[in-house]
Amino acid sequence: MSKYDFVYILKDTEKNEELKYSLRSIEANVSDLINKIVFVGGKPKGFTGYLHVNNPQIFNTKHKNAIMGIYAACKTKDITDNFVLMNDDFYIMQPIEDITKYYDGSMKARIDALPDGRYKDQMKSYYDILVK
């Protein structure tokens, strides 16, 4: 059975009720699959014992801060290649024995298939950041 790093991309907040429930859900339903739990970005008060990767929230949109959090997670040596990307509002609602990996092509191929517009432009800019 594989073990995974559960990586949370978080904003800077004092309190985070959603995170508390998300952590409870993974600890209750996939505890055998957890290698470690990592917070990237914010570090809410009261959550101790978790690895924290600092990533200042310097942009004016949550999307840019989130993509930079993903970038920081990918660049740190503290996170293994075997990880599950989480947000504080992601919950695992029932026990599972393993995590199925899905691959639907490269990010570039997915972007190329999108219709022209703002969303495609944003995805292109995120892609450019990630491949630097």
Side-chain angles (χ1 to χ4, degrees):
M1 176 181 346
S2 295
K3 296 259 188 185
Y4 300 86
D5 295 348
F6 284 77
V7 179
Y8 284 86
I9 306 299
L10 300 172
K11 62 185 175 185
D12 289 325
T13 59
E14 289 284 318
K15 192 173 180 181
N16 191 326
E17 288 292 311
E18 292 89 357
L19 178 61
K20 176 173 70 173
Y21 297 121
S22 179
L23 289 168
R24 283 183 187 170
S25 80
I26 66 170
E27 289 165 354
N29 292 309
V30 293
S31 61
D32 291 341
L33 302 179
I34 299 171
N35 179 45
K36 64 185 152 206
I37 297 172
V38 183
F39 298 161
V40 178
K43 187 177 182 185
K45 287 186 178 178
F47 294 92
T48 59
Y50 302 104
L51 178 64
H52 178 248
V53 175
N54 188 34
N55 185 54
Q57 308 288 291
I58 60 173
F59 295 101
N60 60 353
T61 70
K62 66 181 180 180
H63 300 290
K64 286 182 182 177
N65 286 320
I67 201 69
M68 292 312 294
I70 294 168
Y71 179 77
C74 291
K75 288 295 185 184
T76 183
K77 302 289 186 219
D78 295 323
I79 298 171
T80 66
D81 288 343
N82 207 29
F83 71 92
V84 177
L85 183 63
M86 299 287 290
N87 285 321
D88 57 7
D89 59 352
F90 290 3
Y91 307 98
I92 298 176
M93 302 303 292
Q94 61 189 20
I96 56 175
E97 294 179 12
D98 201 5
I99 297 174
T100 304
K101 297 174 185 146
Y102 295 96
Y103 179 72
D104 194 23
S106 71
M107 186 175 177
K108 181 165 181 1
R110 300 286 296 170
I111 292 168
D112 291 344
L114 291 171
D116 289 338
R118 186 172 155 220
Y119 180 73
K120 184 174 186 173
D121 293 342
Q122 285 180 321
M123 293 305 293
K124 280 182 182 177
S125 68
Y126 297 154
Y127 176 80
D128 291 342
I129 291 168
L130 290 172
V131 298
K132 283 184 184 179

